[in-house]
Amino acid sequence: DAKTTQPNSMESNEEEPVHLPCNHSTISGTDYIHWYRQLPSQGPEYVIHGLTSNVNNRMASLAIAEDRKSSTLILHRATLRDAAVYYCILAGYGTGKLIFGQGTTLQVKP
Amino acid sequence: GAVVSQHPSWVICKSGTSVKIECRSLDFQATTMFWYRQFPKQSLMLMATSNEGSKATYEQGVEKDKFLINHASLTLSTLTVTSAHPEDSSFYICSVGASGSSETQYFGPGTRLLVL
């Protein structure tokens, strides 16, 4: 399984944008880039995914580098409820599996 | 996305007993469900892939006789922890695989198991 590298932790101020980086230099052509987040004592929550093009949804934006070796999850305006562990995961086509790394713990300060 | 529930949300049991955890897909017919385990301050670890109408596929190092998985319908998968011991205490989470090729999964709220 292709691996991702994320910073262990990041801090943000409330109502400011947050850029969460992820490196995935061994990504293959059919790997989707997924982001999930997990609040304390809850199951993970799907955030966004993409393959090659940048993606936007109501929760976040995903910016994918042209060579696909890195991506950035963008929270446009952080709130206290966005404090969570954010996981960047590569999902190979047809495997069905998500292999979780350690993720980035995001702290949001009021 | 799919709505996934788990029951119970938490359970305490004595060592040596068996515990069954249910995972239900409330609005989506799931041919594939996944079971994860998460120890405190650690990431999720995939235990097994549950396939409707067939045997589950276990990840390396996960004992299939210890963690029995049954996926008898398109909306229900169960995980039974047999002869539970304190080291089995953990947060167990299931997920439903969405249709299509993007491999998106939708997760249940988790079940916290404490074995005394």
Side-chain angles (χ1 to χ4, degrees):
Chain A
D1 300 305
K3 191 174 177 179
T4 62
T5 304
Q6 299 177 252
N8 288 333
S9 63
M10 290 185 65
E11 283 187 0
S12 171
N13 293 318
E14 197 176 11
E15 299 187 4
E16 289 186 357
V18 182
H19 290 230
L20 298 165
C22 181
N23 287 320
H24 29 78
S25 58
T26 60
I27 190 170
S28 72
T30 56
D31 284 340
Y32 281 84
I33 302 162
H34 284 246
W35 284 83
Y36 290 80
R37 71 181 185 182
Q38 186 179 26
L39 279 66
S41 299
Q42 296 187 28
E45 175 186 25
Y46 167 78
V47 178
I48 200 166
H49 77 277
L51 185 61
T52 56
S53 303
N54 295 344
V55 185
N56 298 297
N57 66 21
R58 64 174 180 81
M59 288 182 69
S61 295
L62 175 60
I64 301 172
E66 197 169 331
D67 62 4
R68 298 205 333 124
K69 293 185 177 182
S70 66
S71 61
T72 302
L73 178 70
I74 303 166
L75 306 179
H76 295 287
R77 195 163 163 268
T79 69
L80 297 178
R81 291 182 298 174
D82 291 322
V85 180
Y86 287 78
Y87 296 100
C88 169
I89 304 169
L90 300 183
Y93 173 75
T95 67
K97 293 184 184 180
L98 296 178
I99 305 301
F100 284 76
Q102 292 306 307
T104 296
T105 299
L106 175 66
Q107 292 184 324
V108 180
K109 295 184 289 185
Chain B
V3 179
V4 182
S5 70
Q6 285 185 237
H7 178 79
S9 56
W10 60 270
V11 56
I12 302 173
C13 70
K14 292 182 179 180
S15 186
T17 60
S18 295
V19 175
K20 181 186 284 188
I21 302 170
E22 293 184 348
C23 176
R24 291 184 184 275
S25 176
L26 301 182
D27 59 353
F28 180 78
Q29 293 191 319
T31 55
T32 304
M33 292 183 176
F34 302 89
W35 286 96
Y36 297 80
R37 180 169 55 180
Q38 185 175 34
F39 293 111
K41 298 198 182 301
Q42 293 188 23
S43 187
L44 282 77
M45 185 196 80
L46 178 65
M47 299 175 67
T49 302
S50 169
N51 303 297
E52 189 266 336
S54 65
K55 290 183 180 180
T57 305
Y58 291 83
E59 294 300 302
Q60 191 173 7
V62 178
E63 300 174 57
K64 61 180 180 181
D65 296 328
K66 170 79 172 173
F67 300 99
L68 300 179
I69 292 173
N70 183 278
H71 192 159
S73 78
L74 290 173
T75 58
L76 174 64
S77 175
T78 60
L79 169 69
T80 301
V81 183
T82 62
S83 186
H85 288 95
E87 58 265 30
D88 298 321
S89 299
S90 188
F91 193 45
Y92 291 87
I93 308 168
C94 71
S95 71
V96 167
S99 60
S101 61
S102 68
E103 316 296 351
T104 300
Q105 292 182 20
Y106 297 97
F107 290 81
T111 296
R112 192 162 301 281
L113 170 63
L114 176 61
V115 184
L116 301 176

